[in-house]
Amino acid sequence: MISVDARNVDFYYGDFHVLKNISMQIDSNSVTAFIGPSGCGKSTFLRLLNRMNDLIDKTRMTGEILVDGHDIYHEDIRVVELRKKVGMVFQKPNPFPKSIFENVAYGLRVNGVRDNAFIEQRVEESLKNAALWEEVKDKLKKSAFELSGGQQQRLCIARTLAVKPSIILMDEPASALDPISTGKIEDLIFELREQYTIVIVTHNMQQASRVSNKTAFFYLGELIEYDYTRKMFKNPKEKATQNYVTGRFG
């Protein structure tokens, strides 16, 4: 089943042509990695999937992006509803200046949920799904800032899960973390793909090969190659892909 279908997408910052004729389909309940050198357009394309680029002045997109069959750039689409469905985890952990509990409950409260028993249940469920419950269950009233960097990132993942998205976008979610925390995030991604469609931007080739089912290689705003990860890393079709995954440039 296809979760995301991008068709002939071009994107501009002012006059700068950032993304050039990108077409790709992303499978549901899978992990898709976006790789490529800095400035190649992979994070820009990721942010198109939940309209985060709408927040930047003088940007323009042509083409279509369908999420679960719906054109997300259609004038009838409510962006707030879209971002509930397509959650985002950023490069650096960004917990709110609230308690651990209220960080996870935030999205539910903003969306009008008032049932405290339901909120408590969703908070616990989300923290368990983010592999954090056992570490924080006795300190839910403490500030999120007391957690380590890796724990904060898993808290941000729990916050995303609480509103029950179908797609989770991750923009280099482990780049600011130590190797042990990175390992925990990767294990978590592996578990979450049973229930969610995950798209991850990463500079780390080993990470892409470990966690993803498919990989897309971007270069200079173009989608150079998109295939099953194992195939792309062992036997890429394009010379540029081979040069990048073997470390010859980038």
Side-chain angles (χ1 to χ4, degrees):
M1 198 172 157
I2 295 162
S3 196
V4 177
D5 188 1
R7 302 172 181 174
N8 308 113
V9 171
D10 284 77
F11 185 75
Y12 301 81
Y13 289 127
D15 294 329
F16 180 49
H17 196 174
V18 186
L19 294 169
K20 300 160 188 170
N21 197 30
I22 308 289
S23 293
M24 69 186 304
Q25 295 180 330
I26 294 171
D27 299 332
S28 58
N29 297 101
S30 66
V31 181
T32 301
F34 291 175
I35 62 170
S38 295
C40 68
K42 57 191 185 296
S43 289
T44 299
F45 185 68
L46 185 82
R47 291 195 299 268
L48 285 176
L49 304 184
N50 73 342
R51 295 186 51 170
M52 289 293 286
N53 291 326
D54 289 13
L55 305 171
I56 304 168
D57 286 340
K58 297 179 182 172
T59 59
R60 176 167 65 90
M61 189 200 91
T62 61
E64 283 185 312
I65 298 177
L66 279 62
V67 170
D68 295 335
H70 300 285
D71 180 357
I72 63 170
Y73 284 84
H74 192 276
E75 59 187 19
D76 292 342
I77 289 289
R78 294 175 60 202
V79 177
V80 172
E81 291 298 313
L82 171 69
R83 290 185 188 145
K84 268 169 61 182
K85 187 173 191 170
V86 186
M88 184 99 178
V89 177
F90 296 92
Q91 185 170 357
K92 289 184 180 168
N94 60 339
F96 300 140
K98 298 173 179 287
S99 69
I100 293 166
F101 183 93
E102 286 303 329
N103 261 271
V104 184
Y106 178 82
L108 298 168
R109 296 198 195 281
V110 164
N111 285 297
V113 178
R114 296 285 173 266
D115 182 337
N116 286 331
F118 177 79
I119 290 172
E120 283 182 24
Q121 179 194 334
R122 285 296 300 139
V123 168
E124 180 175 340
E125 218 172 83
S126 302
L127 287 167
K128 282 178 175 172
N129 286 340
L132 191 59
W133 175 252
E134 290 302 323
E135 294 165 52
V136 302
K137 63 183 179 184
D138 298 323
K139 46 185 177 185
L140 295 174
K141 291 182 180 174
K142 295 203 167 178
S143 167
F145 295 138
E146 292 185 24
L147 299 175
S148 70
Q151 289 174 323
Q152 286 184 12
Q153 192 64 303
R154 280 182 283 145
L155 180 68
C156 293
I157 292 170
R159 187 174 70 199
T160 300
L161 297 179
V163 294
K164 295 226 168 182
S166 58
I167 299 170
I168 303 171
L169 311 178
M170 297 183 165
D171 195 356
E172 298 196 55
S175 67
L177 304 180
D178 62 84
I180 291 171
S181 298
T182 296
K184 287 184 178 179
I185 296 290
E186 288 182 8
D187 290 344
L188 181 54
I189 291 168
F190 210 75
E191 287 171 31
L192 291 175
R193 73 178 178 184
E194 299 293 321
Q195 297 170 263
Y196 303 92
T197 302
I198 298 174
V199 186
I200 177 172
V201 167
T202 180
H203 273 106
N204 186 322
M205 295 300 101
Q206 289 76 26
Q207 184 171 78
S209 66
R210 284 192 296 263
V211 303
S212 68
N213 303 92
K214 284 186 173 179
T215 296
F217 171 53
F218 289 81
Y219 184 56
L220 298 178
E222 295 183 16
L223 177 58
I224 304 298
E225 190 165 348
Y226 177 45
D227 211 331
Y228 288 100
T229 299
R230 189 173 296 175
K231 188 177 172 198
M232 241 177 83
F233 277 80
K234 287 192 173 173
N235 190 24
K237 293 191 191 89
E238 303 295 330
K239 183 77 173 162
T241 312
Q242 185 173 7
N243 287 341
Y244 186 72
V245 299
T246 55
R248 287 185 197 140
F249 80 94

